[in-house]
PDB file of all heavy atoms in Angstrom:
ATOM      1  N   PRO A 109     101.945  91.739 127.801  1.00  0.00           N
ATOM      2  CA  PRO A 109     101.629  92.725 128.819  1.00  0.00           C
ATOM      3  C   PRO A 109     102.918  93.268 129.422  1.00  0.00           C
ATOM      4  O   PRO A 109     103.902  92.525 129.621  1.00  0.00           O
ATOM      5  CB  PRO A 109     100.810  91.912 129.861  1.00  0.00           C
ATOM      6  CG  PRO A 109     101.177  90.497 129.635  1.00  0.00           C
ATOM      7  CD  PRO A 109     101.582  90.366 128.169  1.00  0.00           C
ATOM      8  N   LEU A 110     102.905  94.564 129.710  1.00  0.00           N
ATOM      9  CA  LEU A 110     104.042  95.207 130.276  1.00  0.00           C
ATOM     10  C   LEU A 110     103.875  95.556 131.714  1.00  0.00           C
ATOM     11  O   LEU A 110     104.667  95.378 132.648  1.00  0.00           O
ATOM     12  CB  LEU A 110     104.383  96.496 129.557  1.00  0.00           C
ATOM     13  CG  LEU A 110     104.834  96.379 128.041  1.00  0.00           C
ATOM     14  CD1 LEU A 110     105.053  97.692 127.437  1.00  0.00           C
ATOM     15  CD2 LEU A 110     106.108  95.493 127.979  1.00  0.00           C
ATOM     16  N   ALA A 111     102.695  96.153 132.041  1.00  0.00           N
ATOM     17  CA  ALA A 111     102.317  96.519 133.340  1.00  0.00           C
ATOM     18  C   ALA A 111     100.766  96.577 133.415  1.00  0.00           C
ATOM     19  O   ALA A 111     100.156  96.252 132.332  1.00  0.00           O
ATOM     20  CB  ALA A 111     102.821  97.873 133.735  1.00  0.00           C
ATOM     21  N   GLU A 112     100.171  96.864 134.471  1.00  0.00           N
ATOM     22  CA  GLU A 112      98.685  96.893 134.636  1.00  0.00           C
ATOM     23  C   GLU A 112      98.101  97.755 133.590  1.00  0.00           C
ATOM     24  O   GLU A 112      98.280  98.976 133.596  1.00  0.00           O
ATOM     25  CB  GLU A 112      98.269  97.294 136.085  1.00  0.00           C
ATOM     26  CG  GLU A 112      96.800  97.289 136.313  1.00  0.00           C
ATOM     27  CD  GLU A 112      96.266  95.831 136.262  1.00  0.00           C
ATOM     28  OE1 GLU A 112      96.997  94.916 136.685  1.00  0.00           O
ATOM     29  OE2 GLU A 112      95.107  95.692 135.819  1.00  0.00           O
ATOM     30  N   GLY A 113      97.285  97.190 132.701  1.00  0.00           N
ATOM     31  CA  GLY A 113      96.665  97.996 131.654  1.00  0.00           C
ATOM     32  C   GLY A 113      97.460  98.336 130.436  1.00  0.00           C
ATOM     33  O   GLY A 113      96.978  98.896 129.418  1.00  0.00           O
ATOM     34  N   TRP A 114      98.763  98.042 130.396  1.00  0.00           N
ATOM     35  CA  TRP A 114      99.650  98.333 129.317  1.00  0.00           C
ATOM     36  C   TRP A 114     100.120  97.108 128.568  1.00  0.00           C
ATOM     37  O   TRP A 114     100.332  96.072 129.165  1.00  0.00           O
ATOM     38  CB  TRP A 114     100.949  99.060 129.822  1.00  0.00           C
ATOM     39  CG  TRP A 114     100.654 100.481 130.314  1.00  0.00           C
ATOM     40  CD1 TRP A 114     100.313 100.824 131.602  1.00  0.00           C
ATOM     41  CD2 TRP A 114     100.583 101.683 129.578  1.00  0.00           C
ATOM     42  NE1 TRP A 114     100.072 102.168 131.723  1.00  0.00           N
ATOM     43  CE2 TRP A 114     100.282 102.732 130.434  1.00  0.00           C
ATOM     44  CE3 TRP A 114     100.828 101.957 128.250  1.00  0.00           C
ATOM     45  CZ2 TRP A 114     100.167 104.046 130.035  1.00  0.00           C
ATOM     46  CZ3 TRP A 114     100.724 103.318 127.819  1.00  0.00           C
ATOM     47  CH2 TRP A 114     100.435 104.356 128.720  1.00  0.00           C
ATOM     48  N   GLN A 115     100.203  97.258 127.224  1.00  0.00           N
ATOM     49  CA  GLN A 115     100.595  96.083 126.353  1.00  0.00           C
ATOM     50  C   GLN A 115     101.452  96.567 125.229  1.00  0.00           C
ATOM     51  O   GLN A 115     101.248  97.624 124.678  1.00  0.00           O
ATOM     52  CB  GLN A 115      99.283  95.608 125.802  1.00  0.00           C
ATOM     53  CG  GLN A 115      99.194  94.106 125.528  1.00  0.00           C
ATOM     54  CD  GLN A 115      97.843  93.727 125.055  1.00  0.00           C
ATOM     55  OE1 GLN A 115      97.271  94.349 124.108  1.00  0.00           O
ATOM     56  NE2 GLN A 115      97.288  92.734 125.601  1.00  0.00           N
ATOM     57  N   ALA A 116     102.465  95.777 124.928  1.00  0.00           N
ATOM     58  CA  ALA A 116     103.369  96.067 123.748  1.00  0.00           C
ATOM     59  C   ALA A 116     102.870  95.126 122.598  1.00  0.00           C
ATOM     60  O   ALA A 116     102.444  93.974 122.810  1.00  0.00           O
ATOM     61  CB  ALA A 116     104.778  95.699 124.102  1.00  0.00           C
ATOM     62  N   GLN A 117     102.839  95.770 121.409  1.00  0.00           N
ATOM     63  CA  GLN A 117     102.409  95.007 120.166  1.00  0.00           C
ATOM     64  C   GLN A 117     103.559  94.901 119.196  1.00  0.00           C
ATOM     65  O   GLN A 117     104.374  95.806 119.078  1.00  0.00           O
ATOM     66  CB  GLN A 117     101.228  95.728 119.521  1.00  0.00           C
ATOM     67  CG  GLN A 117     100.036  95.849 120.331  1.00  0.00           C
ATOM     68  CD  GLN A 117      98.965  96.649 119.585  1.00  0.00           C
ATOM     69  OE1 GLN A 117      99.275  97.332 118.509  1.00  0.00           O
ATOM     70  NE2 GLN A 117      97.725  96.566 120.025  1.00  0.00           N
ATOM     71  N   ALA A 118     103.470  93.834 118.360  1.00  0.00           N
ATOM     72  CA  ALA A 118     104.404  93.760 117.216  1.00  0.00           C
ATOM     73  C   ALA A 118     103.576  93.084 116.142  1.00  0.00           C
ATOM     74  O   ALA A 118     102.811  92.163 116.339  1.00  0.00           O
ATOM     75  CB  ALA A 118     105.647  93.007 117.549  1.00  0.00           C
ATOM     76  N   ARG A 119     103.803  93.470 114.869  1.00  0.00           N
ATOM     77  CA  ARG A 119     103.097  92.867 113.778  1.00  0.00           C
ATOM     78  C   ARG A 119     104.067  92.794 112.541  1.00  0.00           C
ATOM     79  O   ARG A 119     104.865  93.611 112.281  1.00  0.00           O
ATOM     80  CB  ARG A 119     101.836  93.560 113.419  1.00  0.00           C
ATOM     81  CG  ARG A 119     101.842  94.915 112.826  1.00  0.00           C
ATOM     82  CD  ARG A 119     100.562  95.637 112.811  1.00  0.00           C
ATOM     83  NE  ARG A 119     100.687  96.936 113.117  1.00  0.00           N
ATOM     84  CZ  ARG A 119     100.587  97.454 114.334  1.00  0.00           C
ATOM     85  NH1 ARG A 119     100.279  96.668 115.369  1.00  0.00           N
ATOM     86  NH2 ARG A 119     100.790  98.703 114.584  1.00  0.00           N
ATOM     87  N   ILE A 120     103.809  91.744 111.765  1.00  0.00           N
ATOM     88  CA  ILE A 120     104.556  91.547 110.525  1.00  0.00           C
ATOM     89  C   ILE A 120     103.559  90.956 109.546  1.00  0.00           C
ATOM     90  O   ILE A 120     102.822  90.051 109.843  1.00  0.00           O
ATOM     91  CB  ILE A 120     105.832  90.562 110.702  1.00  0.00           C
ATOM     92  CG1 ILE A 120     106.527  90.471 109.338  1.00  0.00           C
ATOM     93  CG2 ILE A 120     105.369  89.269 111.235  1.00  0.00           C
ATOM     94  CD1 ILE A 120     107.862  89.756 109.481  1.00  0.00           C
TER      95      ILE A 120
END
Side-chain angles (χ1 to χ4, degrees):
L110 297 177
E112 185 65 34
W114 291 90
Q115 210 177 51
Q117 298 177 345
R119 71 190 136 268
I120 181 169

